[in-house]
Amino acid sequence: MTEITPEIVAQHGLTPAEYERAVAILGRAPNITELGIFSVMWSEHCSYKSSKKWLKTLPTEGPRVICGPGENAGVVDIGDGQAVIFKMESHNHPSFIEPYQGAATGVGGILRDVFTMGARPIANLNALRFGSPDHPKTRHLVAGVVAGIGGYGNCVGVPTVGGECDFHASYNGNILVNAMTVGIAETDKIFYSAAAGPGNPVIYVGAKTGRDGIHGATMASTEFNEDTEAKRPTVQVGDPFTEKLLIEACLELMAGDTIVAIQDMGAAGLTSSSVEMAGKGELGIELALDQVPVRETGMTPYEIMLSESQERMLIILKPGSEDSARRIFEKWELDFAVIGRVTETGHLVLTMHGETVADMPVEPLVSQAPLYDRPFVPTPKRPPIDAGDLSSATDMMTALRTLLACPDLASKRWIWEQYDHLVGGDTVQRPGGDAAIVRVRGTAKALAIVTDCTPRYCFADPEAGGAQAVAETWRNLTAVGALPIAITDNMNFGNPERPEIMGQFVGCIAGIRAACLALDYPVVSGNVSLYNETNGTGVLPTPAIGGVGLLADAATSVGLAFRAASEAIILIGETAGHLGASLYLREIAGREDGPPPPVDLAAERRNGDFVRGEIQAGRIAACHDLSDGGLLVALAEMAVAGGIGAEVTPARRDLAYLFGEDQARYLVTTRTPEAVLEAAAKVGVPAYRLGTTGGAALTVSPADAISVEELRRVNEAWLPGYMAAGAPATD
């Protein structure tokens, strides 16, 4: 019998006050298994005890929303009896400790969140943040994470169609690996996790339980220090081939009528799945732990309940259906075990070898989890920068070359070519554009999907940065012709016990809320990842947004590539020349100051609705939203993507106009410029005819021209070169 000492309590991440609350709930001191269950259920990762107050302020409803936050993933109606189910989750701490398995199991976990609700996964995306390229661990982490994402996603047969990857020194000691999965389900075949029916059998399916991942949820709820490497045993080990079998077996079972409730075993494993199912159903669950399939000898109740071994699900079946369900899972060569039953007691009761090893009331374990109203300090507003203070010695083409070659803007082809983005045969638009497009099989419809965030904006002004992250995904979806319908979010922040960090979180939530309301773009799922810091140094606030849009007809979509010569290029939106917190400022001037660009949500809505309407009317051949690097970078990206140059005459030729990051802007090409300009004028949308496509160079004036081939070379050289520099020498 393990003695519960204050040191043991502290090792489990519980404060003295939280431990006393647990004792009061039980009416006695917990044993070690019960202490472990309290520790994971009340961890930041599982209970959202620092963030729940603010998350409740987000708009989560809309005419298309079938299920918002609170389930495994969000569910949105896309018509014709179909729903899109999607979510984004983090696997930050595990990916820093063991990059391949950390990233791989992040993909596996988010896939289970989606197919546990009855959806067949059709697309994966990711949002990656690494440290400075010159940090000694960065190259190793990039290689491991990318290999892990590709290794799992490619093997499981779900295409990885999009994402983003940035570098900044704030992530040196704590990278961010956010994974998103999108699936399709029938609206009358959506499965939920609330337990029901006292006496119903509780079924364990999937892989066997091992000792990997024990205390993963607790580890994800603390910041790193010098002992980080010692946490390697808390990282799970994934098997994508087992996951593929599990997907097919679960979907086959779901085609019938035997499932009462289903939940994947994610963070906190068997503990969270059983407690959450019982809690949502206001019932109890009794589990016989010696019936749980294990792959290691001598596993204790504590280890079985807290293991985060992968590829496992918990199912409540209708009585009498066990044999037919068993046949399905045995056909797919997966474990199937009846490990317990639903009860009316309201307690989680665990037995092993005939003895009760834990007996805990479920309702207070869930409802009385600590909730904190953390003190916060708003981020001070930054003074504006004076563009006149910036050196004008850098000419525009030198600046353009520098920006296109910088780590954030350099082509990520090296990454996405390691992912199978075509498996399944439904990928319409591949990685590298504004948004991925995946066909809804058997229909003309398609989904547009994207992840985005600009952490330097969120650090400079959290509220503006939060709004901009939402608005940029809205623009990305609009730029391919899709109607944005909903988002998922992944809130990556430092230690919430520091008021300035909590202020970043509160500010970003306020900005996200404002943008979602203005754009009719609700939040239907998400994840919070706090304590992303090392030795007291936090990451940039990074509220990654995953956006999903709907195309009624995939054939109407457009891409960012220039399509042909002699097409007019039109700039939509106003350009003031905002350089605060811009990439130009950081990469050319060596500064990271100034406020981010203001976000005019009314202008975002007006300009985006106009652009989408013109795309659907067939008057726009190519479209690209303006973001990092501003106007000249966007032109270069369109030219490189299409292999076609352009000759343009900007309204101004100063560097602020060419590289400023003003929002609510798009570049479009058209063969009917007069019609587009006239339509824009009618609805009050600023539109300026910038130039014409054609030739082999991007030309701003006879003296300012650069070949498309050189633009491509500069843009694509950095990442392969960087990764090759760390490769072992070969004979």
Side-chain angles (χ1 to χ4, degrees):
M1 179 72 71
T2 302
E3 180 185 0
I4 307 302
T5 64
E7 290 74 23
I8 293 289
V9 171
Q11 288 169 12
H12 281 74
L14 293 174
T15 67
E18 290 170 348
Y19 177 71
E20 289 305 316
R21 179 180 292 201
V23 170
I25 287 171
L26 291 178
R28 57 177 171 79
N31 61 36
I32 189 64
T33 300
E34 293 166 336
L35 179 67
I37 290 171
F38 273 114
S39 78
V40 292
M41 291 306 299
W42 288 5
S43 68
E44 191 74 59
H45 191 77
C46 292
S47 72
Y48 291 178
K49 56 191 176 185
S50 298
S51 58
K52 188 173 287 187
K53 170 185 174 179
W54 301 102
L55 296 175
K56 288 180 177 179
T57 66
L58 293 173
T60 59
E61 298 179 347
R64 291 183 179 270
V65 177
I66 295 173
C67 177
E71 273 292 340
N72 289 287
V75 185
V76 180
D77 195 320
I78 57 170
D80 306 311
Q82 294 176 310
V84 56
I85 299 181
F86 62 98
K87 188 182 181 183
M88 192 190 308
E89 278 241 359
S90 60
H91 234 217
N92 303 335
H93 286 50
S95 298
F96 183 82
I97 296 169
E98 213 303 301
Y100 184 95
Q101 289 296 348
T105 53
V107 174
I110 195 62
L111 281 164
R112 290 192 299 279
D113 277 339
V114 168
F115 76 74
T116 191
M117 297 197 70
R120 176 170 291 280
I122 63 167
N124 288 331
L125 297 89
N126 51 75
L128 310 177
R129 300 297 188 305
F130 295 104
S132 172
D134 58 12
H135 188 273
K137 288 198 73 169
T138 297
R139 190 180 284 104
H140 159 73
L141 291 168
V142 172
V145 165
V146 171
I149 292 170
Y152 204 100
N154 296 354
C155 292
V156 85
V158 178
T160 301
V161 298
E164 54 176 339
C165 177
D166 295 339
F167 296 81
H168 191 275
S170 76
Y171 306 106
N172 281 350
N174 197 130
I175 64 174
L176 302 183
V177 176
N178 296 170
M180 179 178 173
T181 292
V182 179
I184 297 292
E186 298 175 14
T187 54
D188 60 353
K189 276 285 188 179
I190 295 168
F191 293 83
Y192 298 97
S193 57
N200 283 347
V202 178
I203 313 297
Y204 172 116
V205 301
K208 288 180 168 59
T209 294
R211 290 188 170 96
D212 54 315
I214 294 173
H215 273 302
T218 306
M219 181 268 289
S221 304
T222 58
E223 62 182 85
F224 282 155
N225 54 34
E226 291 84 355
D227 301 324
T228 294
E229 291 301 320
K231 296 179 179 178
R232 193 175 299 274
T234 63
V235 178
Q236 309 92 327
V237 178
D239 179 355
F241 299 105
T242 298
E243 181 101 340
K244 175 61 174 172
L245 300 177
L246 188 60
I247 291 173
E248 299 304 330
C250 286
L251 291 177
E252 183 174 338
L253 184 64
M254 288 166 170
D257 189 31
T258 61
I259 295 175
V260 175
I262 183 168
Q263 173 79 36
D264 81 297
M265 294 190 214
L270 187 53
T271 289
S272 64
S273 55
S274 58
V275 169
E276 288 173 6
M277 292 176 89
K280 289 175 182 176
E282 299 180 352
L283 291 166
I285 281 188
E286 188 175 293
L287 301 178
L289 298 186
D290 37 9
Q291 299 302 310
V292 173
V294 295
R295 66 170 183 260
E296 300 182 48
T297 58
M299 289 191 70
T300 65
Y302 179 98
E303 292 172 327
I304 291 170
M305 289 302 292
L306 270 63
S307 167
E308 293 186 9
S309 294
Q310 297 292 284
E311 295 89 37
R312 303 179 301 158
M313 309 286 280
L314 200 62
I315 304 174
I316 296 172
L317 291 177
K318 293 179 179 178
S321 61
E322 296 94 327
D323 288 344
S324 61
R326 184 189 303 274
R327 284 193 292 271
I328 291 173
F329 284 89
E330 288 180 348
K331 180 184 76 172
W332 291 101
E333 300 181 347
L334 296 166
D335 277 290
F336 179 101
V338 180
I339 65 168
R341 63 188 181 93
V342 179
T343 69
E344 293 182 298
T345 65
H347 277 233
L348 173 69
V349 178
L350 309 177
T351 64
M352 195 161 187
H353 307 312
E355 294 185 5
T356 299
V357 295
D359 187 342
M360 310 171 70
V362 170
E363 194 275 334
L365 183 60
V366 176
S367 68
Q368 293 184 36
L371 291 179
Y372 294 114
D373 188 1
R374 303 270 189 203
F376 66 91
V377 175
T379 301
K381 298 291 185 183
R382 291 181 177 182
I385 65 167
D386 183 353
D389 292 342
L390 300 176
S391 170
S392 59
T394 303
D395 68 84
M396 69 173 76
M397 289 305 170
T398 299
L400 179 60
R401 288 186 187 90
T402 302
L403 285 171
L404 287 177
C406 80
D408 282 5
L409 286 179
S411 168
K412 302 306 185 294
R413 181 185 298 274
W414 181 89
I415 293 176
W416 57 257
E417 284 191 340
Q418 297 184 53
Y419 304 152
D420 189 338
H421 47 272
L422 297 176
V423 62
D426 291 318
T427 304
V428 176
Q429 194 161 133
R430 307 180 185 193
D434 284 319
I437 301 176
V438 180
R439 186 181 296 106
V440 178
R441 186 170 294 182
T443 75
K445 294 182 301 199
L447 297 175
I449 320 164
V450 69
T451 64
D452 227 317
C453 182
T454 311
R456 65 181 186 277
Y457 292 173
C458 298
F459 184 68
D461 183 334
E463 187 166 352
Q468 190 276 339
V470 173
E472 186 165 352
T473 67
W474 198 84
R475 285 200 306 274
N476 292 149
L477 299 173
T478 293
V480 299
L483 174 68
I485 57 175
I487 69 166
T488 182
D489 58 47
N490 205 140
M491 308 292 290
N492 306 276
F493 291 79
N495 186 342
E497 297 167 46
R498 293 168 53 201
E500 66 273 21
I501 300 297
M502 199 64 210
Q504 293 173 351
F505 184 87
V506 172
C508 284
I509 287 283
I512 292 170
R513 169 183 163 80
C516 289
L517 288 172
L519 301 173
D520 289 334
Y521 196 32
V523 184
V524 297
S525 60
N527 171 249
V528 176
S529 175
L530 303 177
Y531 296 96
N532 287 292
E533 57 181 76
T534 303
N535 295 327
T537 301
V539 300
L540 293 181
T542 311
I545 304 296
V548 174
L550 179 64
L551 282 149
D553 184 351
T556 64
S557 66
V558 299
L560 62 79
F562 286 155
R563 297 285 298 277
S566 303
E567 292 184 343
I569 304 169
I570 296 176
L571 172 62
I572 303 294
E574 294 183 348
T575 302
H578 187 96
L579 286 175
S582 67
L583 275 186
Y584 178 90
L585 197 66
R586 189 180 81 192
E587 299 295 330
I588 307 299
R591 296 166 49 177
E592 293 191 57
D593 58 335
V599 179
D600 182 338
L601 293 169
E604 290 282 3
R605 182 68 181 262
R606 180 196 65 208
N607 296 358
D609 287 349
F610 168 75
V611 167
R612 190 183 317 107
E614 292 299 293
I615 292 173
Q616 292 169 353
R619 286 192 285 268
I620 289 178
C623 181
H624 188 20
D625 86 303
L626 273 68
S627 54
D628 289 348
L631 174 60
L632 212 52
V633 164
L635 281 166
E637 289 170 341
M638 296 179 83
V640 167
I644 298 171
E647 186 170 338
V648 297
T649 305
R652 295 181 358 225
R653 291 176 51 82
D654 56 280
L655 296 172
Y657 187 90
L658 297 173
F659 298 107
E661 296 179 4
D662 304 85
Q663 300 294 291
R665 296 187 299 161
Y666 303 80
L667 281 173
V668 303
T669 65
T670 178
R671 289 197 173 277
T672 57
E674 293 79 10
V676 173
L677 292 169
E678 183 180 347
K682 283 183 178 178
V683 292
V685 169
Y688 172 77
R689 184 165 180 172
L690 193 64
T692 306
T693 61
L698 176 59
T699 303
V700 183
S701 72
D704 294 304
I706 183 170
S707 74
V708 174
E709 190 50 45
E710 184 178 353
L711 291 172
R712 183 191 309 280
R713 179 188 59 76
V714 166
N715 186 234
E716 294 196 351
W718 181 78
L719 188 53
Y722 172 71
M723 296 307 296
T730 56
D731 295 331

